[in-house]
Amino acid sequence: MDRNAPIGVFDSGVGGLTVAREIMRRMPRERIIYFGDTARLPYGSKSQDTVLRYSRQIIRFLMTKQVKAIVIACNTASAYALTAMERELDIPIIGVIRAGAKTAVEVTRNGKIGVIGTEATINSGIYADVMRQMRPDIQVTGKSCPLFVPLVEEGLLHDSVTDEIASRYLSVLKGRFVDTLVMGCTHYPLIRSTLGRLMGEDVVLVNPAYETSVELKRLLEDKALTCTLEAAPGEKYRFYVSDLAEKFTAFATSILPEEVKETEKIHIEEY
Amino acid sequence: MDRNAPIGVFDSGVGGLTVAREIMRRMPRERIIYFGDTARLPYGSKSQDTVLRYSRQIIRFLMTKQVKAIVIACNTASAYALTAMERELDIPIIGVIRAGAKTAVEVTRNGKIGVIGTEATINSGIYADVMRQMRPDIQVTGKSCPLFVPLVEEGLLHDSVTDEIASRYLSVLKGRFVDTLVMGCTHYPLIRSTLGRLMGEDVVLVNPAYETSVELKRLLEDKALTCTLEAAPGEKYRFYVSDLAEKFTAFATSILPEEVKETEKIHIEEY
């Protein structure tokens, strides 16, 4: 295995860029190949069968780029595809769920944790399963928040409508007195201030994107797979999508530390 | 051409069922093959290339069912794929846009028409193009309303949040004094009462689903393609999707005049 090979990161669209950003910050030498499945997004309202099939195609594409490890930077795909893909692959693969779950279990004081995410992620029950394996007495309340992604994509990050919808979604979690809230969808950290204000300052918000970058670093170090060479700045990050490459480039430039010059559109169903 | 063959109807998901429902009401003898692309929805935020490719695959699938005519029951796919598909097909094909545009041009008194739809439909400018071909002095104001579909799918049909969002979206149209509003997305008739109240009683709301069923009937009559046989009740309508067949069945049963017993899931990318 070439330790200087890139890391493959994928998501249904732009949300996984919040994970890529954390990896860039924590491991500035690593090269990244990012794929966003913009022709078939969102994943959060689709079935396990479909999300697993899409994830397999994307991983086959990333393997053609000789990646040394894969990060599933999408909660829904992590919920539905990680276990199967771990069995099928020879290289390390991690999702965003385990690292977020682990941190939540570590920081809770009263053992009551809330999880918010897409319908698929919440219905899978995976956050609760993983947390109970770590600590069986933990109480987990999941709540799907299907309007958060469209509200974020409409740019209503600080808006009375987002406040009203968030207040409805979060009321069940407040009623259960959770002291920890996992933001179980990559878009949600973008409305972190609204979520924090509504939950109150005693509730800790966990961002799985951040925790995943910590876990990835540890994993690469354990396997002696950290990059030892410095790539030329323009060579370090490559972006691929299945649709709307220019729109992706603009969004990626707005949230990543350096300008994204180009995004290549590919036909993912051919993989 | 077999006049007793079924009509093929497709949409990115469930929205096109509002068109299928109008066809069932107006032409109760006709058989229908419906396809909803639930594995790749929504179309409204995707590119013309992608929507055209998806539409071609669906039409190839419908042709395997020996349909006698095709209805594109999706505004985005009508905007992006109809012209190309008309050239490629030997059977009649219609979309939802022309019939809605024609009615709007006929009913407006002051020549000022508003159109609401997805980003793709509005950015394509197709409603304005078609209306100006019919009457060059017409003034068309388009407004994309990306949150309406998620709000409808979340069930917030009569809700203060939907009122607030609709009021923001419609303000530009009210400012232009439109006297006619085209509901240019198949989900929108489900919030018709909200739209009507906000626009005021002097504004006529045009539902392209209804107008399309009128146009389809005329077309089939002109070409001597109306059905002459009565199919057995359980044989009349067949439903296919690319994902989540059971969820589709439940939704279809809730809005169609008779119970939907079964929906078959297929792999649309193989067509």
Side-chain angles (χ1 to χ4, degrees):
Chain A
M1 179 68 67
D2 176 7
R3 66 186 304 162
N4 295 313
I7 299 162
V9 178
F10 77 90
D11 179 47
S12 57
V14 295
L17 289 169
T18 61
V19 180
R21 180 172 62 177
E22 298 295 340
I23 298 171
M24 292 170 184
R25 283 182 182 153
R26 183 162 301 272
M27 289 168 280
R29 280 194 161 177
E30 297 295 336
R31 288 160 59 208
I32 293 176
I33 305 280
Y34 185 96
F35 178 79
D37 198 0
T38 46
R40 305 189 292 197
L41 66 80
Y43 284 2
S45 56
K46 286 159 195 172
S47 72
Q48 173 153 22
D49 262 17
T50 295
V51 172
L52 182 55
R53 189 155 47 89
Y54 290 173
S55 300
R56 268 208 190 92
Q57 288 173 334
I58 295 167
I59 287 170
R60 278 196 287 264
F61 163 72
L62 292 173
M63 296 304 280
T64 68
K65 302 290 173 190
Q66 279 81 43
V67 295
K68 65 181 172 187
I70 287 175
V71 178
I72 308 184
C74 166
N75 281 268
T76 303
S78 299
Y80 281 163
L82 179 62
T83 309
M85 297 318 298
E86 277 176 333
R87 281 195 301 265
E88 295 173 23
L89 281 179
D90 292 330
I91 60 169
I93 177 166
I94 64 171
V96 282
I97 289 176
R98 253 171 263 178
K102 185 158 173 285
T103 302
V105 167
E106 283 164 7
V107 301
T108 182
R109 290 144 291 154
N110 69 6
K112 294 175 180 168
I113 296 173
V115 180
I116 53 177
T118 64
E119 276 185 278
T121 300
I122 298 306
N123 292 344
S124 76
I126 188 163
Y127 269 104
D129 292 348
V130 171
M131 288 178 192
R132 287 204 202 95
Q133 278 165 20
M134 294 170 181
R135 196 180 132 182
D137 67 328
I138 217 88
Q139 286 178 41
V140 184
T141 306
K143 175 67 186 160
S144 67
C145 306
L147 284 168
F148 279 168
V149 170
L151 288 166
V152 166
E153 298 207 332
E154 184 77 336
L156 303 184
L157 304 184
H158 306 281
D159 191 283
S160 62
V161 165
T162 305
D163 280 7
E164 168 64 21
I165 292 292
S167 154
R168 295 185 196 178
Y169 283 149
L170 299 179
S171 67
V172 60
L173 302 175
K174 288 176 70 92
R176 299 282 176 90
F177 303 104
V178 303
D179 72 353
T180 305
L181 178 68
V182 179
M183 297 181 286
C185 170
T186 50
H187 280 67
Y188 298 178
L190 299 170
I191 51 167
R192 180 181 194 127
S193 64
T194 301
L195 301 173
R197 183 165 34 77
L198 288 167
M199 291 307 291
E201 58 185 19
D202 292 340
V203 174
V204 177
L205 300 191
V206 175
N207 178 2
Y210 173 85
E211 308 301 336
T212 299
S213 73
V214 176
E215 187 187 326
L216 177 67
K217 181 157 190 271
R218 195 180 313 125
L219 179 77
L220 294 182
E221 284 168 354
D222 284 354
K223 297 192 181 284
L225 281 174
T226 49
C227 188
T228 53
L229 293 175
E230 190 74 44
E235 302 288 301
K236 212 142 110 190
Y237 307 130
R238 290 278 170 85
F239 301 91
Y240 298 86
V241 291
S242 46
D243 199 14
L244 294 168
E246 284 175 28
K247 193 173 167 191
F248 181 93
T249 300
F251 190 90
T253 294
S254 77
I255 76 158
L256 293 181
E258 58 182 76
E259 190 194 344
V260 174
K261 294 230 171 43
E262 195 192 17
T263 303
E264 193 176 321
K265 179 179 154 180
I266 61 161
H267 279 192
I268 191 65
E269 63 261 56
E270 291 168 6
Y271 287 88
Chain B
M1 179 68 66
D2 176 6
R3 65 186 302 161
N4 294 313
I7 299 162
V9 179
F10 77 90
D11 178 47
S12 57
V14 295
L17 288 168
T18 61
V19 180
R21 181 172 62 178
E22 298 295 339
I23 298 171
M24 292 171 185
R25 284 181 182 151
R26 184 162 300 271
M27 290 168 279
R29 280 193 160 178
E30 296 295 336
R31 289 160 59 209
I32 293 175
I33 305 279
Y34 185 95
F35 177 79
D37 199 0
T38 47
R40 304 187 293 196
L41 65 79
Y43 284 3
S45 56
K46 286 158 195 171
S47 71
Q48 173 153 21
D49 260 18
T50 294
V51 171
L52 182 55
R53 189 155 46 89
Y54 291 173
S55 300
R56 269 207 189 93
Q57 288 173 335
I58 295 167
I59 287 169
R60 278 196 288 262
F61 163 72
L62 292 172
M63 297 304 280
T64 68
K65 302 290 174 190
Q66 278 81 44
V67 295
K68 66 181 171 188
I70 287 174
V71 179
I72 308 184
C74 167
N75 281 269
T76 303
S78 298
Y80 281 163
L82 179 63
T83 309
M85 296 318 299
E86 278 175 334
R87 281 195 300 264
E88 295 173 22
L89 281 178
D90 292 331
I91 61 170
I93 178 166
I94 64 170
V96 283
I97 288 175
R98 252 170 264 178
K102 184 158 174 285
T103 302
V105 168
E106 282 164 7
V107 302
T108 182
R109 290 144 291 153
N110 69 5
K112 294 176 181 168
I113 296 173
V115 179
I116 53 177
T118 63
E119 275 185 278
T121 299
I122 298 305
N123 291 344
S124 77
I126 187 162
Y127 269 104
D129 292 348
V130 171
M131 288 178 193
R132 286 203 205 97
Q133 277 165 22
M134 293 170 182
R135 197 181 131 182
D137 68 328
I138 218 87
Q139 287 178 40
V140 183
T141 307
K143 175 67 187 161
S144 67
C145 306
L147 284 168
F148 279 169
V149 170
L151 287 166
V152 166
E153 298 208 332
E154 184 78 336
L156 303 184
L157 304 183
H158 307 282
D159 191 282
S160 61
V161 165
T162 305
D163 281 7
E164 167 65 20
I165 291 292
S167 154
R168 295 184 196 178
Y169 283 149
L170 299 179
S171 66
V172 59
L173 303 174
K174 288 175 72 91
R176 298 282 176 89
F177 303 103
V178 305
D179 72 353
T180 305
L181 178 68
V182 179
M183 298 181 285
C185 170
T186 51
H187 279 69
Y188 298 178
L190 299 170
I191 51 168
R192 180 182 194 126
S193 64
T194 300
L195 301 173
R197 184 166 33 76
L198 287 167
M199 292 306 292
E201 57 186 18
D202 291 340
V203 174
V204 177
L205 300 192
V206 175
N207 179 1
Y210 173 86
E211 308 302 336
T212 299
S213 73
V214 176
E215 186 187 326
L216 177 67
K217 182 159 190 270
R218 194 180 312 123
L219 179 77
L220 294 181
E221 284 168 356
D222 284 355
K223 297 194 179 282
L225 280 174
T226 49
C227 188
T228 53
L229 293 175
E230 189 73 45
E235 303 289 300
K236 215 142 112 191
Y237 307 130
R238 291 278 170 85
F239 300 90
Y240 298 85
V241 291
S242 46
D243 199 15
L244 294 169
E246 284 175 28
K247 193 173 167 190
F248 181 92
T249 300
F251 189 90
T253 294
S254 77
I255 76 158
L256 293 181
E258 58 181 75
E259 190 194 343
V260 173
K261 294 229 170 45
E262 196 191 16
T263 303
E264 194 176 322
K265 180 180 154 178
I266 61 162
H267 279 193
I268 191 66
E269 63 260 56
E270 291 168 6
Y271 287 88

